[in-house]
Each structure stands twice: as structure tokens, then as C-alpha cells.
Amino acid sequence: MEYISTRGSAGALDFEGVTLAGLAPDGGLYVPRDYPRFSEAEIAAMRGLPYAELAVRVMLPFVTPSLSEDELRKLCQQAYGRFSHEAVTPLKQFDQQHWLLELFHGPTLAFKDVALQLLGGLFEHFLAKNHDHLTIVGATSGDTGSAAIDGVAGRDRIDIFMLHPKGRVSDVQRRQMTTVLSPNVHNIAIEGSFDDAQAMVKRMFNDAAIASSLGGRFRITAVNSINWARLMAQVVYYFAAALQLGAPERKVAFSVPTGNFGDVFAGYVASRMGLPIEQLIVATNVNDILHRALSSGDYSAGTVTETAAPSMDIQVSSNFERLLFDMGGRDGAAMAAQMRGFEASKAMQLTNAQREGASALFTSARCDADEMNRAMAWAKDHCGEVIDPHTAIGLHAARHAGIDPAVPVVTLATAHPAKFRDAVERATGQRPPLPARMGDLFEREESFTELPGDYDAVAAYVTSHATESA
Ligand SMILES: *Cc1c(COP(=O)(O)O)cnc(C)c1O
């Protein structure tokens, strides 16, 4: 498979190239040149496969020829062997129409593990082949950091530096990062907000002095969801759930708690590959730029409001560009112009083609704190399921989307409730315990470095520590 940029002027890359690259040099995002499509018979033949084997079938067209089928199989078995549930992403029932797809059985209890466990293996494989080294620098407000750290901890040829805003991530989230003691993991608590940390990371990406002092070792890459390999890995669980509910003979709808539009874009890819999806429900909290864009065409960033579902507290959804590119007829020059306008004014209007194209598959909903709390209470009182605040937003949207009762609706459970236990306890009166394998999280030794909110201090730390361990 070849990958092209949404902004039309970067050269095409193969799968190995896009995995290591992150953003395209023209500022765009990589997408496959075309979507592979399975026939009904091919989809029916996937029924009953173990998750890792289903992953091989779904992803093989995207990774060929950078990986052989056997190489892909080995990486999938390693990644999904680390999940604590044999089914990897088990499906549970709420009521006659509604289902819950549990994506949180990975090492850090959030759906991001599904992709980042595989991404760690992909990095290691390609770096070993090229005798290369990778330095990952990222900023996190919570889930991405711990999942990225767990995905690369202890792996050869990789250093990861993860910045978090000191005192502004939950205890569980901080400890999930700082108790990983592998020498290639460098946690940094910086003074300031998440946005300050993020701004430093962006500046570092363009810092020629760092690049020259680290030489070949400074291939920084993105571990956020603009990385194509992450989206690709997420396509698999849409197939897994739909097959269990009767696909390809029966259509299924999905409700997706959405922040950066990565997870729900994977659902769109599944649909393009032939999976019969009735509808994709984009569920947002009060940070509702995507709901406004999909319902009225107004894609304009406001200021971020903090909520009990922090992984969705986002005003600009990077992956939305991938959908707009497809809906606009894959015109890279037009996409580049539209995004230049957005970057200048933080606002843009979707074209009619983009709006109409998206409305064929997508619908959206905005959910406030009250509705979120009521969804958590409903799940517990009526189905005995304790769900996290992000999942609750998805469930609320699912139950109010007006989907034909004959169509099963799957809500994606993106985090384990214990990760957000204060909010869960407030809504349900029940404090979800950490799963047994994480029960000693608060006894484990922590290691992290505190740095001032000063770019030069952080840059100096990265240069000296990456060089040492390389
Ligand atoms: C990251 C995250 C989301 C949002 O996913 P996107 O791919 O950014 O849309 C939702 N819920 C949880 C718990 C997350 O960690």
C-alpha cells in the first residue's frame, strides 16, 4: 500500500515510511492511496477468528509489502497477548439494542493500548532492520502518555521522553507513567499547563540544534493519533464487534466518544473496507467542535472547558482533516488552502460536498455533565455495568440517536472506570477498584524528573539523556 498526504505536495510513502514519519512534510496527514475492499464472503470467513488472527486479515493489505504476513502475525500475537482478556476486546450487552465494546483490557486500561502496543512492536521491527534509533518526545494530559510509554518500555533503539504538567494529571494517570522504570523511559513533570508542555514539544520538533546534536538518533516521531498505524490497528475491533452481531448480513451502528477523531475515523475506514455500518455516532462532551461541524458545517475552535472526560477536552480534532479530504474529492491543493484558512483564523466552514458526504454515514451528539452522569447511573442501575465518563458520553449519544430498533448499536468503552473513579463514584455511588494486576500501583516506586517550564532546560535534558542511552 502507498500512502499520500491530505495536502497533496508531499511524496508518497510505503507503510514503513508512514509509521516512522508521523506528519507529512507538507503539514498534511497520510492516508492510503485507496481503501482495500473485502467481499461479503471474505468478511463472513473472518467470523470466529481469534483477535490476533482477525487483526492480520484486516491489516495485511495496509502493511504489504513493508511486512510479510508472518511478520505481521508475530507482532499482533505479541501486542494482543499482553491484554488481560482472552477476547482482547469483549462485547457485552446492555439491553435489546445496545452493546458495549470493552477496549480497556490492555496494560494501561484505555483503548489507546490496542494501537500503541502494536505501534511499539512496529517501531522496534523497522528500527532493527535499518539499524536506526528513534527518540520519541511527547506531551500528555493523561491516557496517551501512559499507553505510549507502556508500548515502548524496554524496547531496543527507542527512547521516550514524556512531558506531563506537574500536579495536573490524576494520581492513577501519573503513576501509570512514572512507575515504569525501564531505562529508555524518561518522565518529565514540568511546571505549567498541558498546552505549555505541548508547545515545547512542537518547538523541539523544529529545533535544528537538537537535531544536529543528536545526529541520526533524533528521528522524533508522533505517537499521537495522527500516526496512520494507530488508526489502522483500531479498524480491527469494528470488524470484531460487527462480526459477532451478524455482519456482513446485518448492519451495525457504533457510538464513539470522540476527541481527536482518531477512533471514529477507524470506523469510517472499516466501512470503506466493506463492513456494513449503518451509522457512526460522533459523541462529544461540551467541547463540541465536531458536533457543530457535522450538524451545521461550523468548524470553529472555542476555548477548552475542563470536564470529567478529559481525553475528550479538545477543540481541534487533527484527524478530521482525513475525512474532509475524502469528502472533498481528495483534492490536496484545496485541502491545503482550507487548512491554511483554518490555521489563520481558527475557524472554517465545511463545503456542501463535505457536509453531505459526511452525513451519509456520520451523525453527532453533544453531551453535558448531567447527561453523562445519568448515563453512568443508568448503566449501573439497569444493567449492572459500571462505565467511565468517556464511555457514558458515548452511551448517552447512542440511546438518543434514534437508530432503527432492528439495528444493534455498539458503544465503544474507551477507558476502564477505575481510571476515573472519582467521577464514577460521584455519579453512581460506587468506587470501581483497580483491576488485580494494577492493585499495587500505589505501592510501586516512582521515577520522574521535575523541570521548570523553560524550553532550554527541557531541551538540554532530552539531548543529554537520549545520547547517553543510545
Ligand atoms: C483518547 C481518548 C478518547 C478520544 O479518542 P480520539 O481517537 O482522540 O477521538 C476517548 N476516550 C478516552 C478514554 C481516551 O483516552
Side-chain angles (χ1 to χ4, degrees):
M1 176 67 68
E2 269 202 330
Y3 294 84
I4 57 169
S5 165
T6 52
R7 300 202 190 169
S9 51
L13 291 178
D14 63 7
F15 177 70
E16 176 178 336
V18 289
T19 300
L20 294 169
L23 259 193
D26 60 4
L29 304 176
Y30 288 108
V31 289
R33 189 181 285 288
D34 41 41
Y35 293 102
R37 202 168 167 91
F38 296 121
S39 68
E40 254 195 65
E42 285 169 321
I43 294 175
M46 296 176 188
R47 213 176 272 146
L49 291 176
Y51 190 91
E53 197 54 37
L54 176 66
V56 173
R57 297 272 179 102
V58 172
M59 295 193 289
L60 190 60
F62 291 115
V63 305
T64 307
S66 300
L67 291 176
S68 71
E69 182 171 338
D70 283 343
E71 287 166 337
L72 177 63
R73 181 168 293 114
K74 198 169 135 227
L75 291 169
C76 288
Q77 285 170 350
Q78 282 168 357
Y80 301 119
R82 295 202 62 209
F83 279 60
S84 67
H85 198 296
E86 279 296 321
V88 182
T89 61
L91 188 65
K92 287 193 174 167
Q93 187 163 13
F94 278 125
D95 64 12
Q96 292 80 346
Q97 186 176 21
H98 292 278
W99 300 77
L100 182 71
L101 184 63
E102 291 187 346
L103 303 177
F104 53 69
H105 293 281
T108 75
L109 311 182
F111 87 95
K112 292 185 170 71
D113 288 326
V114 177
L116 283 163
Q117 288 294 320
L118 182 71
L119 188 63
L122 288 168
F123 282 155
E124 196 173 47
H125 177 88
F126 291 134
L127 294 169
K129 193 181 107 203
N130 303 334
H131 307 288
D132 211 344
H133 185 279
L134 189 68
T135 302
I136 298 169
V137 184
T140 186
S141 53
D143 288 345
T144 303
S146 52
I149 286 171
D150 206 284
V152 302
R155 291 193 193 268
D156 286 341
R157 302 173 178 277
I158 303 175
D159 274 299
I160 185 164
F161 293 84
M162 192 55 67
L163 278 58
H164 69 265
K166 188 182 158 197
R168 301 199 197 187
V169 298
S170 77
D171 286 359
V172 172
Q173 288 179 320
R174 187 192 72 247
R175 286 186 155 272
Q176 281 187 314
M177 296 191 279
T178 58
T179 58
V180 179
L181 302 178
S182 309
N184 71 328
V185 172
H186 313 272
N187 277 291
I188 304 174
I190 69 148
E191 300 285 350
S193 68
F194 168 69
D195 288 340
D196 299 335
Q198 181 73 33
M200 282 193 209
V201 170
K202 282 197 180 142
R203 186 167 159 196
M204 216 171 286
F205 277 32
N206 299 314
D207 188 332
I210 292 204
S212 70
S213 79
L214 290 180
R217 283 186 281 277
F218 202 55
R219 286 189 66 166
I220 303 197
T221 196
V223 287
N224 61 18
S225 63
I226 62 163
N227 188 300
W228 166 259
R230 279 188 59 178
L231 303 185
M232 174 191 76
Q234 291 168 218
V235 176
V236 177
Y237 49 69
Y238 287 89
F239 275 85
L243 283 162
Q244 285 183 68
L245 292 171
E249 289 83 11
R250 189 183 188 205
K251 284 191 162 193
V252 178
F254 289 89
S255 179
V256 188
T258 301
N260 218 6
F261 208 75
D263 207 1
V264 73
F265 188 80
Y268 162 79
V269 174
S271 153
R272 294 293 305 260
M273 295 175 79
L275 191 69
I277 295 182
E278 167 85 5
Q279 195 136 71
L280 291 169
I281 305 164
V282 177
T284 76
N285 61 23
V286 295
N287 298 293
D288 63 350
I289 181 168
L290 286 169
H291 173 56
R292 283 183 282 116
L294 290 166
S295 56
S296 73
D298 164 33
Y299 190 78
S300 59
T303 51
V304 176
T305 305
E306 282 186 33
T307 74
S311 298
M312 297 161 67
D313 292 347
I314 280 177
Q315 278 292 349
V316 178
S317 293
S318 323
N319 283 297
F320 199 46
E321 178 172 338
R322 288 186 155 114
L323 181 70
L324 296 180
F325 177 64
D326 277 9
M327 300 296 121
R330 295 204 143 197
D331 180 341
M335 196 68 237
Q338 195 177 15
M339 291 311 296
R340 269 196 305 274
F342 176 73
E343 278 153 19
S345 65
K346 295 288 166 239
M348 69 187 186
Q349 196 63 30
L350 270 50
T351 65
N352 285 341
Q354 287 169 333
R355 276 184 68 181
E356 281 158 26
S359 70
L361 185 63
F362 292 88
T363 178
S364 66
R366 169 193 199 270
C367 179
D368 65 22
D370 235 35
E371 292 164 329
M372 177 189 78
N373 288 333
R374 273 190 274 129
M376 277 189 271
W378 181 84
K380 175 174 162 281
D381 296 344
H382 294 266
C383 317
E385 291 293 338
V386 178
I387 59 173
D388 103 289
H390 303 80
T391 307
I393 289 169
L395 177 61
H396 172 83
R399 294 183 68 226
H400 295 85
I403 308 266
D404 175 347
V407 175
V409 186
V410 178
T411 295
L412 270 46
T414 51
H416 190 289
K419 251 192 136 158
F420 300 95
R421 50 203 179 153
D422 294 336
V424 173
E425 188 175 14
R426 277 196 300 275
T428 66
Q430 192 164 318
R431 192 166 179 81
L434 282 169
R437 67 187 192 286
M438 303 234 341
D440 65 346
L441 186 67
F442 283 82
E443 279 90 67
R444 292 184 201 163
E445 184 189 339
E446 281 190 273
S447 162
F448 61 96
T449 302
E450 290 185 33
L451 292 176
D454 167 40
Y455 177 76
D456 292 334
V458 176
Y461 184 85
V462 169
T463 0
S464 62
H465 288 77
T467 313
E468 236 170 62
S469 53

mmCIF file of all heavy atoms in Angstrom, residues 10 30 122 194 231 337 449:
data_model
loop_
_atom_site.group_PDB
_atom_site.id
_atom_site.type_symbol
_atom_site.label_atom_id
_atom_site.label_comp_id
_atom_site.label_asym_id
_atom_site.label_seq_id
_atom_site.Cartn_x
_atom_site.Cartn_y
_atom_site.Cartn_z
ATOM 1 N N ALA A 10 3.423 16.427 -0.536
ATOM 2 C CA ALA A 10 4.482 15.536 -0.040
ATOM 3 C C ALA A 10 4.479 14.260 -0.875
ATOM 4 O O ALA A 10 3.442 13.851 -1.396
ATOM 5 C CB ALA A 10 4.237 15.184 1.428
ATOM 6 N N TYR A 30 -1.085 11.449 6.421
ATOM 7 C CA TYR A 30 -1.040 10.374 5.426
ATOM 8 C C TYR A 30 -2.320 9.539 5.447
ATOM 9 O O TYR A 30 -2.838 9.211 6.512
ATOM 10 C CB TYR A 30 0.153 9.465 5.672
ATOM 11 C CG TYR A 30 1.471 10.117 5.319
ATOM 12 C CD1 TYR A 30 2.359 10.513 6.308
ATOM 13 C CD2 TYR A 30 1.808 10.338 3.980
ATOM 14 C CE1 TYR A 30 3.570 11.119 5.982
ATOM 15 C CE2 TYR A 30 3.011 10.943 3.642
ATOM 16 C CZ TYR A 30 3.891 11.332 4.642
ATOM 17 O OH TYR A 30 5.072 11.928 4.316
ATOM 18 N N LEU A 122 5.997 -2.374 15.981
ATOM 19 C CA LEU A 122 6.308 -1.942 14.609
ATOM 20 C C LEU A 122 7.580 -1.087 14.593
ATOM 21 O O LEU A 122 8.457 -1.263 13.742
ATOM 22 C CB LEU A 122 5.141 -1.133 14.032
ATOM 23 C CG LEU A 122 3.870 -1.910 13.675
ATOM 24 C CD1 LEU A 122 2.715 -0.944 13.405
ATOM 25 C CD2 LEU A 122 4.112 -2.793 12.448
ATOM 26 N N PHE A 194 -0.885 21.710 30.301
ATOM 27 C CA PHE A 194 -0.673 20.783 29.189
ATOM 28 C C PHE A 194 -0.303 21.549 27.916
ATOM 29 O O PHE A 194 0.587 21.133 27.177
ATOM 30 C CB PHE A 194 -1.930 19.943 28.944
ATOM 31 C CG PHE A 194 -1.879 19.189 27.651
ATOM 32 C CD1 PHE A 194 -0.987 18.133 27.496
ATOM 33 C CD2 PHE A 194 -2.673 19.542 26.579
ATOM 34 C CE1 PHE A 194 -0.898 17.436 26.294
ATOM 35 C CE2 PHE A 194 -2.593 18.864 25.375
ATOM 36 C CZ PHE A 194 -1.705 17.802 25.237
ATOM 37 N N LEU A 231 -4.388 4.336 13.708
ATOM 38 C CA LEU A 231 -5.763 4.238 13.191
ATOM 39 C C LEU A 231 -6.020 2.858 12.599
ATOM 40 O O LEU A 231 -7.074 2.256 12.818
ATOM 41 C CB LEU A 231 -6.001 5.301 12.114
ATOM 42 C CG LEU A 231 -5.769 6.743 12.531
ATOM 43 C CD1 LEU A 231 -6.182 7.661 11.387
ATOM 44 C CD2 LEU A 231 -6.574 7.073 13.770
ATOM 45 N N ALA A 337 -5.404 24.664 1.131
ATOM 46 C CA ALA A 337 -5.908 26.040 1.231
ATOM 47 C C ALA A 337 -6.921 26.156 2.364
ATOM 48 O O ALA A 337 -6.889 27.108 3.156
ATOM 49 C CB ALA A 337 -6.537 26.455 -0.110
ATOM 50 N N THR A 449 11.563 13.249 36.573
ATOM 51 C CA THR A 449 12.387 14.430 36.762
ATOM 52 C C THR A 449 11.487 15.651 36.735
ATOM 53 O O THR A 449 10.602 15.735 35.878
ATOM 54 C CB THR A 449 13.409 14.529 35.612
ATOM 55 O OG1 THR A 449 14.173 13.322 35.619
ATOM 56 C CG2 THR A 449 14.327 15.718 35.771
#
